[in-house]
């Protein structure tokens, strides 16, 4: 983890110093995430937006770095007799992807760029809101995933790979992200993540 932070710091310093050429792009996309607890998987709807600097390191070879914000959400409900229970799970995250890419020119305006690299993740917040509605009234309780006594880790390290199709200033891309760390401190519980994603981008 420390080595990855060092790489990010070096790239940022090079960019500020003007020693590298970089192109900025804005991207948005859909990234449904699977959170697996032991043998049980929960499917979350996920959305992201990021600001990326694609730094040219050599001919057709570069690295894309920039902050990304991501939102995961999941709702579920069940009803037993006259009692209905609704649970809504929300999670906000910040990612720092470091994507090495190689551009394969198809025409003057079109290129294909496979990319691969690590992505650092920090969970800003996560909670589950539970509402129980019965003839006696409704009660609501909110559980913080990352409370003071929680064993749920905010940090994750992901391995990411994918492919981008670039046409002039526009980009269509997709790929797969695999969480490499166990997000729960207990020996009896293992929590890991994985996600597919698709997105659209515009380069300035």
């Amino acid at each position: 983890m420390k080595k990855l932070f060092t790489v990010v710091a070096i790239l940022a310093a090079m960019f500020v110093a003007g020693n590298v050429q970089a192109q900025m792009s804005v991207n948005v996309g859909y990234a449904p995430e699977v959170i697996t607890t032991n043998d049980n998987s929960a499917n979350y709807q996920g959305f992201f937006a990021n600001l990326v600097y694609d730094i040219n390191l050599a001919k057709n070879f570069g690295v894309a770095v920039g902050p990304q914000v991501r939102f995961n959400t999941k709702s579920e409900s069940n009803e037993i007799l006259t009692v209905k229970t609704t649970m809504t799970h929300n999670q906000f995250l910040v990612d720092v992807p470091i994507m090495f890419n190689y551009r394969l020119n198809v025409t003057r305006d079109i290129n294909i760029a496979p990319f691969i690299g690590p992505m650092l993740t920090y969970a800003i917040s996560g909670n589950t809101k539970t509402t129980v509605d019965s003839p006696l009234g409704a009660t609501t309780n909110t559980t913080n995933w990352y409370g003071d006594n929680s064993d749920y880790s905010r940090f994750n390290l992901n391995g990411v790979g994918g492919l981008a199709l670039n046409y002039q200033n526009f980009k269509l891309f997709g790929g797969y992200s695999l969480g490499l760390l166990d997000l729960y401190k207990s020996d009896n519980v293992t929590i890991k993540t994985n996600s597919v994603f698709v997105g659209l981008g515009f380069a300035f």
Side-chain angles (χ1 to χ4, degrees), residues 53-75:
Y53 289 94
D54 196 348
I55 302 169
N56 185 40
L57 300 178
K59 183 178 180 181
N60 290 353
F61 178 69
V63 58
V65 181
Q68 173 173 284
V69 292
R70 191 156 44 95
F71 173 64
N72 289 330
T73 186
K74 180 178 185 294
S75 295

Side-chain angles (χ1 to χ4, degrees), residues 3-39:
K3 291 182 179 179
L4 289 175
F5 280 116
T6 301
V7 171
V8 173
I10 291 173
L11 291 171
M14 292 173 63
F15 178 75
V16 171
N19 294 328
V20 295
Q21 294 180 343
Q23 184 178 42
M24 184 180 71
S25 65
V26 176
N27 308 280
V28 295
Y30 176 59
E33 186 164 64
V34 179
I35 300 178
T36 302
T37 304
N38 293 345
D39 295 327

Side-chain angles (χ1 to χ4, degrees), residues 2 4 16 34 47 54 65-66 73 76 78 88 104 126 129 136 141 156 161 169 189-190 195:
K2 291 182 180 179
L4 289 175
V16 171
V34 179
F47 307 90
D54 196 348
V65 181
T73 186
E76 53 189 323
N78 63 73
T88 302
L104 302 170
K129 181 179 179 181
L136 299 177
N141 179 60
N156 200 0
N169 291 55
V189 178
T190 299
S195 174

Side-chain angles (χ1 to χ4, degrees), residues 35-126:
I35 300 178
T36 302
T37 304
N38 293 345
D39 295 327
N40 299 314
S41 296
N43 298 306
Y44 285 71
Q45 299 298 313
F47 307 90
F48 68 89
N50 61 35
L51 179 66
V52 173
Y53 289 94
D54 196 348
I55 302 169
N56 185 40
L57 300 178
K59 183 178 180 181
N60 290 353
F61 178 69
V63 58
V65 181
Q68 173 173 284
V69 292
R70 191 156 44 95
F71 173 64
N72 289 330
T73 186
K74 180 178 185 294
S75 295
E76 53 189 323
S77 63
N78 63 73
E79 189 168 355
I80 301 176
L81 298 178
T82 58
V83 179
K84 182 178 180 180
T85 302
T86 303
M87 301 177 70
T88 302
H89 316 274
N90 292 318
Q91 185 185 33
F92 286 93
L93 310 106
V94 173
D95 305 312
V96 180
I98 307 172
M99 296 295 107
F100 295 93
N101 56 79
Y102 187 81
R103 295 179 299 278
L104 302 170
N105 295 321
V106 179
T107 69
R108 181 178 178 179
D109 295 324
I110 299 174
N111 67 74
I112 298 173
F115 57 87
I116 189 170
M119 181 173 73
L120 300 167
T121 296
Y122 178 78
I124 297 175
S125 66

Side-chain angles (χ1 to χ4, degrees), residues 118-195:
M119 181 173 73
L120 300 167
T121 296
Y122 178 78
I124 297 175
S125 66
N127 62 71
T128 298
K129 181 179 179 181
T130 304
T131 301
V132 179
D133 194 357
S134 72
L136 299 177
T139 59
T140 299
N141 179 60
T142 301
T143 302
N144 181 7
W145 297 5
Y146 308 104
D148 293 337
N149 298 319
S150 175
D151 288 329
Y152 207 149
S153 174
R154 293 178 183 268
F155 293 94
N156 200 0
L157 174 63
N158 306 272
V160 180
L163 186 70
L165 174 63
N166 300 288
Y167 172 70
Q168 294 182 354
N169 291 55
F170 297 93
K171 174 170 61 176
L172 172 66
F173 61 94
Y176 179 75
S177 173
L178 177 64
L180 303 177
L181 301 182
D182 179 4
L183 301 181
Y184 208 75
K185 299 175 184 177
S186 171
D187 293 335
N188 299 321
V189 178
T190 299
I191 297 180
K192 290 193 172 183
T193 64
N194 68 84
S195 174

